[in-house]
Amino acid sequence: MFNLQNRLLTRYPLLWNTRIVWVGSALVLIHLLFFLAGFIDFGAASFKANYSLSSIISAGMVTFSILCSLVLLVCWLVFYLRNNAYKNFYIIDKYHLSKEFFIITLVLVFAINFFESYKWGGWLKARTITSKQQLVKEANTVNLAMAFVPTSKSAYFSLVNCNEDDPGRDIQYLENHDYFDSTAYDYNNMNNVIVRRALKNKDAFSYKNYCNEFISLKGYDGFISAKEWKKTKDRWSDNHETDSIKYILRQWMAVCNKYQVDQKLDIDELASLVFSDPNYNVTKVFPSNQYNYSTSAYYPNYFQSSDLEWALHFADSCQLGGWHRSDDLEVFTVELYVALCLSILLFSYRLFSRKTFLISTIGSIVWTILVILIGVSSELEGILWTCLLLSASFLGIALLMMRIQSSKALIGALLNWHIYLAPFIIMFITILIETNFEKKHGWFNNDEYVKQTYPVAYWIDHHIGLIFRLNLLLVFLYVTFFFTRLSKKWHIMPEE
């Protein structure tokens, strides 16, 4: 280790000064530990407790991750800030500051999101528990089996069908509503008239009417649509194929047991209930919760349907999980902005004197308060325009004062204020364009007309996320190749 340190000091002083080897090794180790923790902690029983991939991360995990980040960053900064080749007039190459900013950004990007590794550990474990093929098979099983597990009569109402174009699908049946109460204010409502007419049929709540998808996996290979499995269900009912019904219910129960979904139902009873009425009407409904809140009692037979729904939805989200998901991409973008802003703050501390940094910090607090006060008395546009004007003014005044060799401390503060706002300039401009576009043209119903008439504003309005992500790269390049040159010019100015 001592030989490595000497080698870096003599041949790669920037790597030695930034302690990238040590902090990089620590980052890899901590991320690996969080990943393993997520992989080990997660199990099949956890599916029902998480509706999406992001819900794996609890508040406690985020807090612990932040504490680990703070400890690591403090230890790193103790050693990193000991030496500063730039401030001590050491000989540095042309791109020394650019490379240093890149290293700072790289460290902070990976130092602030240990919880992400925990999430991806759980994600990988979930995919090993339920593959895409298994998920499709389980979804097909559950969708068909749920036809024989009545948790509400409304799903078996005669107006329910698989035809998406049928206007009758919009007719709603409410179980607790008395449709034959002529004194009700909505008795003659068209929806109620249609429902009342359907309720007079002998098969108003037949098992053969059921056509609901408990979970939809459209787009997955092998997923069976409601129209297809309804034919199977109806054939079993017509032919009294009790064994087939019991078989699919046993498979359904195996899925429930896999995800530890709480239920107390008897397969023989469920199968026999299908044929207890000559018109296949539902004669018994099983509650979807164990506890009866109205009577403060427990049901002897029940099925925790929401747990199974959550489990399958979570398995679905894990199959779709990745950087291409919009919610994951948005979270990662926010993390990059946080890392970039912290990098700029640390980099400005490295580039400028402590006096200048202190002035810029206090000044930032002052003009932030002023901007907030302006925002209180104006709309969002006023705040955004004020920030844009301040950023341009800070840079313009700083360049002018550098030319006339004016106050060095003030110039440094102006440059710092400008770079603090730099990550948000394009964001503010984009929001202003989008807001103006929505105000003037948001009322158009013809999307194609708006696209052809206002192509630029339309593209911006529909690609805000992409613009924000590209802005990260532009700001990074701006700091790396332009702001570093300004800091060098500031540094060679005579002291006051």
Side-chain angles (χ1 to χ4, degrees), residues 42 232 346 467:
F42 201 82
T232 303
L346 178 57
I467 294 173

Side-chain angles (χ1 to χ4, degrees), residues 123-156:
W123 168 75
L124 181 61
K125 181 66 172 294
R127 289 171 68 94
T128 61
I129 294 173
T130 303
S131 64
K132 182 180 291 187
Q133 293 75 18
Q134 288 175 311
L135 174 61
V136 172
K137 182 179 178 181
E138 291 172 357
N140 291 335
T141 297
V142 170
N143 280 337
L144 177 55
M146 284 300 297
F148 307 106
V149 186
T151 56
S152 68
K153 280 192 172 184
S154 60
Y156 300 83

Side-chain angles (χ1 to χ4, degrees), residues 56-90:
I56 291 178
I57 308 173
S58 63
M61 175 52 62
V62 173
T63 302
F64 180 68
S65 173
I66 293 174
L67 290 176
C68 291
S69 299
L70 290 175
V71 171
L72 177 68
L73 290 175
V74 168
C75 293
W76 172 59
L77 291 174
V78 167
F79 292 96
Y80 169 53
L81 298 178
R82 282 181 177 179
N83 303 283
N84 192 334
Y86 185 57
K87 288 184 179 180
N88 291 287
F89 300 99
Y90 292 156

Side-chain angles (χ1 to χ4, degrees), residues 264-281:
K264 285 187 179 180
L265 299 177
D266 183 73
I267 291 178
D268 293 332
E269 181 186 11
L270 291 174
S272 63
L273 285 173
V274 179
F275 310 106
S276 62
D277 182 88
N279 295 308
Y280 308 105
N281 280 314

Side-chain angles (χ1 to χ4, degrees), residues 60-262:
M61 175 52 62
V62 173
T63 302
F64 180 68
S65 173
I66 293 174
L67 290 176
C68 291
S69 299
L70 290 175
V71 171
L72 177 68
L73 290 175
V74 168
C75 293
W76 172 59
L77 291 174
V78 167
F79 292 96
Y80 169 53
L81 298 178
R82 282 181 177 179
N83 303 283
N84 192 334
Y86 185 57
K87 288 184 179 180
N88 291 287
F89 300 99
Y90 292 156
I91 297 175
I92 58 177
D93 61 68
K94 183 178 180 181
Y95 296 106
H96 176 93
L97 295 178
S98 300
K99 291 183 285 187
E100 184 171 359
F101 180 68
F102 172 77
I103 293 173
I104 293 173
T105 306
L106 189 66
V107 170
L108 287 172
V109 165
F110 290 98
I112 65 172
N113 55 4
F114 294 130
F115 56 85
E116 290 288 355
S117 293
Y118 181 88
K119 180 176 75 174
W120 293 111
W123 168 75
L124 181 61
K125 181 66 172 294
R127 289 171 68 94
T128 61
I129 294 173
T130 303
S131 64
K132 182 180 291 187
Q133 293 75 18
Q134 288 175 311
L135 174 61
V136 172
K137 182 179 178 181
E138 291 172 357
N140 291 335
T141 297
V142 170
N143 280 337
L144 177 55
M146 284 300 297
F148 307 106
V149 186
T151 56
S152 68
K153 280 192 172 184
S154 60
Y156 300 83
F157 190 46
S158 59
L159 295 181
V160 174
N161 59 71
C162 298
N163 187 4
E164 296 181 356
D165 298 327
D166 189 346
R169 287 174 61 91
D170 297 329
I171 303 299
Q172 300 295 322
Y173 170 77
L174 303 177
E175 292 191 42
N176 298 323
H177 186 78
D178 186 1
Y179 289 94
F180 294 95
D181 182 8
S182 59
T183 62
Y185 72 95
D186 59 349
Y187 179 79
N188 293 320
N189 182 279
M190 183 57 65
N191 182 91
N192 294 347
V193 171
I194 296 174
V195 171
R196 195 160 47 246
R197 188 183 306 137
L199 287 172
K200 296 178 181 179
N201 298 330
K202 294 182 179 180
D203 60 345
F205 297 102
S206 173
Y207 279 90
K208 297 181 68 175
N209 296 330
Y210 185 88
C211 196
N212 286 355
E213 286 185 346
F214 189 79
I215 179 173
S216 178
L217 296 180
K218 294 179 181 178
Y220 283 76
D221 293 334
F223 178 70
I224 302 175
S225 66
K227 285 185 178 181
E228 294 300 319
W229 57 253
K230 187 177 186 301
K231 297 176 183 177
T232 303
K233 170 182 67 69
D234 292 344
R235 186 180 71 250
W236 290 352
S237 301
D238 292 335
N239 298 331
H240 284 244
E241 298 183 27
T242 308
D243 291 339
S244 298
I245 296 175
K246 289 182 178 180
Y247 175 75
I248 196 65
L249 286 173
R250 280 193 290 269
Q251 289 186 315
W252 167 82
M253 194 164 288
V255 176
C256 292
N257 293 335
K258 173 183 176 180
Y259 298 113
Q260 297 185 22
V261 175
D262 196 15

